[in-house]
């Protein structure tokens, strides 16, 4: 297997992009990444997206993006794994390049969620869950996460207010990310007063739906000197799965998909959790931040909040989290999110982020993209190239 | 609405029909073609009694379109006596009165109506067991 690298990065701001359509968002990010890399063309394009069919009446995104990006005749396909679609698309590119089947692959995650009413997109997002046995019971996607949070509070005896540490940190970082949707800080007091969406989850536990596209160019490590882009090494990009429905899991508070994905990723990268210098995790909801930290091996079961307070998750702390603002502060354009996470981590390793959020002496970054309530998890480990 | 889909699910929705593995005895709901424990395909129908306890619960304020008119409503994870967990709405109880560990029983209720002229979907919901 060949070693692989990321040689180019592109992203649109995460916003309510009323003036741009799906294809233009995708093409902008992809072409920006190609310009950053200095590539004229690619051997293939992987498009990460969840809801283009439901919300834009558009499927067949692979060829559409290839066509509008001016890559006539190049192979293109859409990859779907709910909110994990973005990193799943990166995974496909890594497989293609490491196997030697392709030399250079463009990956673009794109999503457009804000055209319809919130209730309509809430229903569309719920299709990540089991349609026959979860969604038809009236369960929203927030509701599934609320069931997890309620049980967590019950088993480990935390107060709901203890969870504010995660969104407060995410917003502190998003202030310095020009592509983030919410560039302001929030306080513990605001968190405590925030409106309930699905009890006990409130508005400030939840990442906002948004539009956006992010892209990376994946190439063989042996070829990086051919390009002008600043390369970052991909040590691992590994997938773990679990039951689609939450109720089918023996212990819903232990994300087996996360455990399976990180075990493979740590093994391939030949690292331990303590070697990770910062972690761009999937904070779609505060509870998922906690469960991810635990199943990824950073904190003991039920101890993520204590870990966060002790280790310090700020940019200067022992394990900086969501340095680009996370899903909470940057916004969550679902099928694009996994690519935004990798773009953020690569920028950190290249030393290209605002100095207020630059993690000092960073060498190894981890990102984790989670589809549904943990049924598809993709963990990516990146390394600085000196 | 996809009428064949709801017709296919009627035994699950009205009678909690799942599967029992004839090789290892494992029970599943929903029914599966492959036993999740021993991977056997040698399974038979199994009807759950519909008695259980609340594992977790939530009250939904911002609902998907179809359920918007009944919000807020409560949904939970119910541990059935037979050792299987299922997702269902609560009925005949106020959100504030639902607790983890509470004993509940299955009843058949309306789940939703698909528009003024569409069919009505019925299915299981759970209510507190009131001591006799
Ligand atoms: Zn079996």
């Amino acid at each position: 297997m060949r070693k692989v690298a990321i040689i180019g990065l592109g992203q649109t701001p995460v916003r309510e992009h009323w003036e741009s359509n799906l294809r233009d968002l995708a093409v902008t990010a992809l072409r920006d990444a190609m310009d950053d890399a200095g590539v004229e063309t690619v051997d293939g394009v992987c498009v990460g997206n969840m809801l283009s069919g439901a919300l834009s009446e558009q499927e067949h995104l692979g060829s559409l993006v290839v066509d509008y990006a001016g890559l006539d005749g190049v192979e293109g396909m859409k990859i779907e794994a709910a909110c994990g679609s973005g990193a799943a698309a990166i995974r496909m590119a890594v497989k293609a390049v490491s196997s030697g089947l392709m030399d250079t692959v463009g990956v673009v995650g794109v999503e457009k969620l804000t055209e319809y009413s919130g209730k309509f997109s809430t229903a569309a997002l719920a299709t990540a869950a089991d349609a026959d046995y979860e969604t038809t019971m009236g369960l929203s996607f927030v509701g599934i996460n609320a069931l997890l949070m309620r049980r967590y509070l019950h088993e480990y005896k935390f107060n709901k207010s203890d969870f504010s540490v995660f969104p407060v940190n995410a917003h502190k970082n998003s202030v310095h990310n020009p592509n983030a949707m919410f560039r302001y800080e929030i306080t513990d007091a605001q968190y405590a007063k925030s409106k309930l969406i699905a009890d006990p989850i409130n508005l400030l536990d939840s990442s906002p739906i948004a539009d956006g596209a992010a892209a990376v160019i994946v190439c063989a490590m042996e070829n990086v000197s051919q390009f002008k882009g600043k390369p970052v090494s991909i040590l691992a990009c590994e997938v773990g799965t679990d039951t689609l429905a939450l109720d089918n899991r023996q212990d819903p508070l232990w994300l087996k998909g996360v455990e399976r994905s990180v075990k493979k990723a740590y093994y391939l990268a030949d690292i331990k959790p303590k070697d990770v210098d910062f972690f761009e995790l999937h904070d779609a909801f505060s509870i998922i931040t906690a469960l991810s930290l635990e199943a990824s091996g950073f904190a003991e079961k039920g101890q993520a909040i204590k870990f966060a307070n002790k280790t310090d998750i700020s940019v200067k702390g022992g394990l900086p989290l969501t340095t680009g603002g996370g899903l909470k502060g940057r916004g969550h354009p679902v099928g694009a999110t996994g690519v935004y996470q990798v773009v953020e981590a690569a920028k950190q390793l290249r030393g290209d982020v605002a100095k207020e959020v630059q993690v000092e002496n960073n060498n190894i970054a981890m990102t984790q993209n989670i589809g549904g309530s943990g049924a598809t998890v993709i963990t990516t480990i990146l390394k600085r190239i000196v | 609405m996809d009428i064949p889909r709801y017709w296919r699910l009627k035994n699950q929705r009205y009678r909690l029909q799942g599967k029992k593995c004839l090789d290892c005895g494992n029970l599943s709901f929903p029914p599966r073609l492959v036993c999740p424990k021993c991977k056997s395909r040698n399974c038979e129908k199994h009807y759950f009694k519909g008695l259980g306890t609340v594992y977790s619960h939530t009250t939904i304020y911002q609902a998907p379109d179809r359920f918007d008119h009944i919000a807020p409503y409560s949904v939970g994870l119910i541990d059935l006596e037979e050792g299987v967990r299922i997702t269902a709405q609560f009925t005949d109880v106020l959100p504030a009165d639902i607790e983890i560990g509470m004993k509940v029983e299955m009843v058949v209720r309306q789940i939703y109506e698909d528009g003024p002229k569409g069919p009505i979907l019925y299915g299981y919901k759970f209510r507190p067991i009131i001591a006799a």
Side-chain angles (χ1 to χ4, degrees):
Chain A
M1 297 294 246
R2 295 198 292 181
K3 291 193 182 317
V4 291
I6 289 175
I7 193 73
L9 308 173
Q11 61 183 320
T12 73
V14 178
R15 299 283 185 271
E16 295 188 10
H17 281 288
W18 289 336
E19 292 181 2
S20 306
N21 57 19
L22 197 66
R23 68 188 78 174
D24 288 350
L25 289 171
V27 168
T28 303
L30 180 60
R31 272 288 172 182
D32 282 354
M34 289 173 66
D35 289 348
D36 182 46
V39 298
E40 309 247 305
T41 190
V42 290
D43 301 320
V45 172
C46 300
V47 182
N49 172 268
M50 178 185 176
L51 293 169
S52 67
L55 298 181
S56 302
E57 298 178 16
Q58 181 70 63
E59 288 291 7
H60 211 167
L61 283 192
S63 294
L64 178 72
V65 171
V66 160
D67 176 10
Y68 275 76
L71 299 168
D72 320 22
V74 167
E75 164 184 332
M77 275 177 213
K78 165 171 163 171
I79 316 292
E80 191 276 320
C83 330
S85 301
I90 296 178
R91 162 77 173 163
M92 294 305 151
V94 168
K95 287 204 279 193
V97 175
S98 69
S99 69
L101 201 61
M102 291 183 179
D103 284 326
T104 310
V105 178
V107 181
V108 56
V110 61
E111 202 77 67
K112 201 147 175 45
L113 296 173
T114 66
E115 313 247 298
Y116 288 89
S117 75
K119 285 161 201 159
F120 193 81
S121 27
T122 298
L125 286 166
T127 60
D130 186 320
D132 285 349
Y133 296 99
E134 289 183 303
T135 320
T136 45
M137 297 302 139
L139 203 51
S140 60
F141 195 59
V142 188
I144 291 179
N145 288 277
L147 291 170
L148 285 171
M149 192 174 194
R150 167 93 64 203
R151 186 71 196 187
Y152 192 97
L153 292 169
H154 172 82
E155 278 193 27
Y156 303 123
K157 314 284 176 232
F158 284 103
N159 294 314
K160 159 102 175 98
S161 57
D162 297 328
F163 273 91
S164 66
V165 58
F166 300 119
V168 166
N169 173 65
H171 274 257
K172 200 167 275 174
N173 294 338
S174 65
V175 170
H176 305 288
N177 180 356
N179 291 306
M181 189 148 94
F182 294 155
R183 301 187 66 192
Y184 52 79
E185 296 198 25
I186 59 167
T187 63
D188 290 341
Q190 284 170 317
Y191 178 85
K193 281 189 299 191
S194 175
K195 180 172 84 168
L196 282 172
I197 298 178
D199 190 14
I201 289 185
N202 66 34
L203 191 66
L204 292 182
D205 283 311
S206 317
S207 54
I209 61 164
D211 310 335
V216 296
I217 308 299
V218 175
C219 73
M221 184 65 88
E222 65 205 38
N223 296 340
V224 294
S225 58
Q226 297 173 11
F227 307 111
K228 79 168 172 67
K230 285 194 265 180
V232 167
S233 169
I234 304 181
L235 297 182
C237 179
E238 291 296 313
V239 183
T241 64
D242 198 356
T243 65
L244 195 75
L246 188 64
D247 55 19
N248 278 195
R249 299 180 198 160
Q250 209 136 43
D251 181 1
L253 296 182
W254 184 255
L255 297 178
K256 262 196 198 164
V258 167
E259 185 188 16
R260 288 167 172 152
S261 147
V262 295
K263 267 192 177 161
K264 288 194 264 186
Y266 290 148
Y267 174 79
L268 264 186
D270 194 22
I271 64 158
K272 295 201 160 46
K274 66 168 174 41
D275 300 319
V276 173
D277 294 315
F278 62 97
F279 186 14
E280 195 67 25
L281 50 61
H282 193 92
D283 57 331
F285 300 96
S286 315
I287 179 65
I288 296 299
T289 301
L291 298 181
S292 162
L293 284 170
E294 293 169 16
S296 297
F298 293 104
E300 297 288 313
K301 199 164 186 288
Q303 301 299 308
I305 290 167
K306 284 181 190 154
F307 167 86
N309 290 320
K310 202 175 130 207
T311 306
D312 182 2
I313 57 171
S314 77
V315 172
K316 305 266 177 258
L319 184 68
L321 297 185
T322 57
T323 58
L327 282 57
K328 178 69 197 79
R330 182 176 50 232
H332 185 25
V334 294
T337 285
V339 187
Y340 274 103
Q341 292 176 309
V342 170
V343 167
E344 168 64 19
K347 284 184 76 173
Q348 275 280 354
L349 294 170
R350 288 169 24 160
D352 286 346
V353 298
K355 64 178 190 320
E356 293 86 349
V357 286
Q358 180 69 55
V359 177
E360 307 266 328
N361 303 316
N362 64 28
N363 186 42
I364 290 185
M366 186 158 110
T367 70
Q368 191 172 75
N369 192 197
I370 300 183
S373 56
T376 307
V377 181
I378 303 103
T379 304
T380 307
I381 298 175
L382 304 172
K383 189 169 188 281
R384 172 193 289 260
I385 296 177
V386 264
Chain B
M1 177 201 262
D2 180 358
I3 290 172
R5 175 178 164 207
Y6 293 109
W7 180 84
R8 276 196 306 275
L9 289 166
K10 65 187 187 305
N11 286 318
Q12 282 78 54
R13 293 260 163 80
Y14 305 160
R15 306 166 69 197
L16 288 178
Q17 184 195 85
K19 280 275 174 82
K20 179 181 183 175
C21 173
L22 294 171
D23 286 327
C24 78
N26 185 66
L27 299 175
S28 331
F29 187 89
R32 289 166 176 260
L33 290 177
V34 177
C35 169
K37 208 168 152 197
C38 77
K39 318 304 172 196
S40 166
R41 289 168 68 181
N42 186 20
C43 301
E44 68 174 12
K45 288 170 191 163
H46 181 87
Y47 295 91
F48 290 87
K49 281 187 288 183
L51 299 172
T53 54
V54 176
Y55 173 84
S56 191
H57 59 96
T58 179
T59 298
I60 294 177
Y61 294 90
Q62 283 185 25
D65 252 347
R66 183 183 272 169
F67 294 95
D68 191 43
H69 67 289
I70 57 164
Y73 56 91
S74 301
V75 182
L77 293 172
I78 314 294
D79 284 340
L80 297 180
E81 267 184 359
E82 297 92 335
V84 165
R85 185 174 296 140
I86 77 169
T87 304
Q89 273 186 40
F90 293 101
T91 186
D92 306 357
V93 61
L94 293 170
D97 294 334
I98 302 168
E99 284 178 4
I100 288 176
M102 189 169 85
K103 301 268 183 223
V104 289
E105 63 185 351
M106 176 210 164
V107 288
V108 172
R109 290 283 190 273
Q110 180 178 319
I111 307 281
Y112 60 81
E113 216 171 311
D114 197 33
K117 288 182 181 164
I120 299 169
L121 176 75
Y122 292 93
Y124 50 79
K125 291 190 183 183
F126 282 77
R127 70 175 177 198
I129 296 176
I130 296 146

